[in-house]
Amino acid sequence: MTEKTSHRGLVVVAIMASMAMIAIEATIVSTAMPQIAAQLGQINLYSWVFSSFLLTQTATTVVFGKLADIYGRKPMILIGIALFLIASVLAGFAWSMPSMIAFRLLQGVGAGAIQPVAMTVVADLFPGNQRGKVQGYLASVWALSAVVGPLLGSLIIHNLPWAWVFWINVPVGLFASLAFLLFLHEEKRSRSVSIDVLGAALFAISISALMIALTELESAVSGQAVGMLAVFVIALAGFVWQERRAEAPMIAPGLWLKRPIAFANLAVFFASMSIMGLTTFLPMYVQTVLNRSPLVAGFALTMLLLGWPCGATIASRQFARFGLRPIMIAGSLLIPVGTFLFILLTPSSSAILAGAGSLIMGFGMGLLNISALILTQESVSWTERGSATASNVFSRNLGSTLGAAVLGAVLTYGLAHATNGQPITPEQIRGLLNAIGGTEDIRLALQHALHATFVAMLMIAALIVPACLLVPALRAGDHAPQEA
């Protein structure tokens, strides 16, 4: 793939703008959603505003990665931005919770195109030994969005109509689209490849069913969850059958089962599961068990966002010196170390210990994620790079979802058997968070339940190490960007 290198910096700016839309969307919507739900009603559908976005994003990531390999990166990322912006405008006009969920589903489709294709464009523009620096910039975008998003959401809710929570994406997306149109240049390619439509549909159905089942299992085992698991198994079996007979399968087993890609994605999967436990349960522990303010809890979690881009930046500068695999292994060791510090927490612990664990885990994620992504991209040629990148993003998203379900189930079990068989109710937890009506017995019971959750996190984090050890050595820059 030949690009006008003089425009690479402008393309990177466009990529950062498009990724910022996705990164800030999660935090800004979560901040504003309580007020939005109060106006729209049907609070029982509240969680689906977030689950619907992640569902379609995860289900379509692999599809758009494959399409980017066939039709080029530029058309796919422009389609993704267009879908994201259309859905954002419509979400601002949502008149009910079901309509909001429908528009969030469409928004997730756009995100499913933007994220993997944007990261693939970076791989096309920069050789492996330079790519880490750019990926460090992208990691900084996510970290900055996590800090700015809640503040921006709060400002919008208090000073503007809530629709601007979604409409704020429009100028950013238009700028990114214009920059891609003007500065991203791809050679014209005519590839006669059949599209595996049935495979794509079966894959989307199977992953969507799995995501719905996992979402339902976060609260309790239900008939709907069991039904969705059955749909997942049937659709997955049909997908495997289709991929074995398709001329150009949507997910080529030869690519996904390549040793570097398979084990790098497995490491990212376990790491994402662990990080989901940190972001979900550490603030609760700091506020309820350590009896600290929400500001202190936010500080402890912010250490993750500080460590992540720092780790990514350092990794990018050391790829050429040490190689990708050693840096991945270093990251895989740091994540369990950070998780182990959470196990040491007691009701008398300092919040500094929680922040230290968060910082170490973030630093490890910065080392691991960028190394795994670049190693995955370096393992294939241009014609498969979109699919390889999408497999990495898919592993992250699926790991986050499964982590939320598994660790949520551990916490739920712990709360149900906390105080002599008497379950702790959500109202009692809310009382602790609001510093009203919380007793020391409830605080200690919650401490035991959260401790069990941190132990489960450590067990998952420990699996990252053997996954990284099984990754073969490959130095960044061993494979320069190739043309189709």
Side-chain angles (χ1 to χ4, degrees), residues 8 37 46 78 161 178 182 226 251 285 304 320 357 381 388 474-475 477:
R8 289 197 306 181
Y46 184 92
L78 290 175
L178 182 62
L182 294 177
V226 174
I251 295 180
Y285 192 100
L304 168 72
S381 65
L474 179 69
R475 299 186 68 85

Side-chain angles (χ1 to χ4, degrees), residues 87 115 199 287 299 303 319 326 339 439 464:
Q115 190 173 3
Q287 289 186 64
F299 165 78
M303 290 298 99
F319 284 149
T339 309
T439 67
I464 306 170

Side-chain angles (χ1 to χ4, degrees), residues 8-328:
R8 289 197 306 181
L10 295 170
V11 175
V12 169
V13 172
I15 291 171
M16 292 176 70
S18 60
M19 295 287 274
M21 290 194 303
I22 303 173
I24 205 169
E25 190 66 16
T27 53
I28 194 173
V29 172
S30 61
T31 303
M33 201 58 217
Q35 287 80 6
I36 296 174
Q39 294 186 33
L40 297 181
Q42 293 179 276
I43 304 296
N44 59 308
L45 299 176
Y46 184 92
S47 64
W48 274 100
V49 174
F50 305 97
S51 300
S52 58
F53 180 91
L54 187 59
L55 189 156
T56 49
Q57 180 187 13
T58 305
T60 57
T61 291
V62 173
V63 175
F64 280 108
K66 180 71 173 182
L67 293 176
D69 285 337
I70 298 174
Y71 296 111
R73 325 308 193 199
K74 188 172 181 176
M76 291 302 107
I77 199 165
L78 290 175
I79 289 173
I81 293 174
L83 290 174
F84 195 89
L85 293 185
I86 291 171
S88 296
V89 172
L90 292 174
F93 289 110
W95 58 89
S96 65
M97 288 294 273
S99 66
M100 174 66 75
I101 291 169
F103 300 142
R104 289 283 286 173
L105 285 166
L106 181 60
Q107 210 176 27
V109 174
I114 294 171
Q115 190 173 3
V117 179
M119 297 167 84
T120 305
V121 171
V122 173
D124 292 339
L125 291 174
F126 298 90
N129 53 12
Q130 299 177 19
R131 200 177 307 149
K133 185 177 181 180
V134 181
Q135 296 293 351
Y137 295 154
L138 298 184
S140 299
V141 168
W142 287 86
L144 183 62
S145 298
V147 177
V148 173
L151 175 62
L152 196 56
S154 179
L155 288 174
I156 290 174
I157 284 297
H158 288 97
N159 299 284
L160 294 169
W162 61 258
W164 283 100
V165 167
F166 301 99
W167 293 349
I168 197 172
N169 293 316
V170 174
V172 179
L174 291 177
F175 165 78
S177 298
L178 182 62
F180 283 126
L181 283 169
L182 294 177
F183 304 119
L184 179 59
H185 305 288
E186 290 184 308
E187 284 188 348
K188 297 293 183 182
R189 292 177 174 82
S190 59
R191 295 182 61 199
S192 178
V193 179
S194 60
I195 305 298
D196 183 17
V197 177
L198 179 58
L202 288 171
F203 179 80
I205 292 171
S206 63
I207 296 303
S208 297
L210 176 62
M211 298 280 285
I212 293 172
L214 292 175
T215 301
E216 293 297 318
L217 284 173
E218 286 184 37
S219 53
V221 177
S222 66
Q224 183 178 359
V226 174
M228 285 296 102
L229 284 174
V231 172
F232 162 70
V233 171
I234 294 171
L236 183 63
F239 172 73
V240 172
W241 170 79
Q242 169 63 15
E243 297 306 275
R244 295 183 65 178
R245 60 185 289 274
E247 178 184 347
M250 182 59 60
I251 295 180
L255 185 148
W256 282 62
L257 296 179
K258 277 187 177 181
R259 185 177 164 188
I261 295 176
F263 287 111
N265 287 344
L266 189 62
V268 168
F269 173 79
F270 288 132
S272 297
M273 288 186 70
S274 302
I275 288 294
M276 181 54 64
L278 166 62
T279 57
T280 304
F281 303 114
L282 183 62
M284 182 188 296
Y285 192 100
V286 173
Q287 289 186 64
T288 58
V289 179
L290 301 186
N291 198 25
R292 300 298 197 275
S293 68
L295 181 63
V296 174
F299 165 78
L301 189 59
T302 301
M303 290 298 99
L304 168 72
L305 307 175
L306 177 63
W308 198 314
C310 287
T313 301
I314 291 174
S316 67
R317 295 177 178 176
Q318 301 301 324
F319 284 149
R321 182 178 179 183
F322 295 106
L324 294 165
R325 182 174 180 268
I327 295 177
M328 277 189 68

